[in-house]
Amino acid sequence: MGMLDILKISASGLKAQRTRMEVIATNLSNIHSTRTEDGGPYKKKEVVFGTTDVSDDKEFGTLLSGRIEGVKVEEVAESGKSFERVFNPGHPDADSEGYVTFPNVNLMEEMTDMVAATRAYEANINVMNTTKAMFLKSLELGK
């Protein structure tokens, strides 16, 4: 593992959490969207994470010692949760029985995911700052 691999791993975490926050923002902004281009209400999006090899050194010795894995966004998938039906006969999108189908986005779940994404982002920044401090301390050895 090279010295910069730690920063690459953390950078992959920052990028993945930023994508997660973008998806959460999309979900929150469409929490009451009853019409989409595809027809029907907005469908909640969820981020699926996977591992990715972030090492530049693909030599034989590195292959034996193991991969240096960061994180990447594998997919932004639509949630399979059911939609919420609310009786509101005056709504323009109400069906013949007076029910409106709202998106399957739960405000509390999105807020919880947002806090978790924020904490993960901060943790990756702390790893980068700690690694940077270690590098600087190492440079002081020669003084």
Side-chain angles (χ1 to χ4, degrees):
M1 175 188 282
M3 292 180 66
L4 297 178
D5 286 341
I6 298 169
L7 298 176
K8 290 177 187 173
I9 293 168
S10 294
S12 72
L14 293 175
K15 184 177 177 183
Q17 294 305 323
R18 188 192 70 211
T19 301
R20 185 179 180 190
M21 286 296 288
E22 291 170 353
V23 169
I24 291 168
T26 302
N27 288 338
L28 287 173
S29 66
N30 286 292
I31 198 164
H32 295 293
S33 297
T34 56
R35 295 180 190 173
T36 62
E37 293 178 2
D38 299 333
Y42 173 79
K43 295 177 183 170
K44 175 184 175 173
K45 308 286 187 292
E46 296 177 329
V47 177
V48 179
F49 294 117
T51 60
T52 185
D53 186 3
V54 295
S55 62
D56 290 333
D57 189 10
K58 309 283 188 214
E59 295 177 0
F60 184 68
T62 304
L63 293 175
L64 291 177
S65 65
R67 293 174 30 165
I68 308 301
E69 293 183 333
V71 63
K72 69 176 180 178
V73 174
E74 291 279 345
E75 170 184 17
V76 177
E78 290 184 350
S79 173
K81 290 177 56 178
S82 59
F83 296 106
E84 181 183 5
R85 289 180 44 126
V86 176
F87 184 72
N88 186 356
H91 194 282
D93 290 330
D95 61 13
S96 59
E97 298 173 352
Y99 285 94
V100 179
T101 304
F102 281 97
N104 54 357
V105 178
N106 181 306
L107 177 63
M108 297 311 292
E109 289 177 6
E110 295 303 316
M111 295 301 287
T112 302
D113 286 348
M114 186 169 59
V115 170
T118 302
R119 297 292 177 252
Y121 195 89
E122 290 172 351
N124 282 297
I125 287 177
N126 283 333
V127 168
M128 294 179 98
N129 284 333
T130 302
T131 302
K132 183 178 78 176
M134 289 172 57
F135 290 162
L136 292 174
K137 284 291 183 187
S138 296
L139 290 174
E140 291 176 6
L141 288 174
K143 288 184 178 179

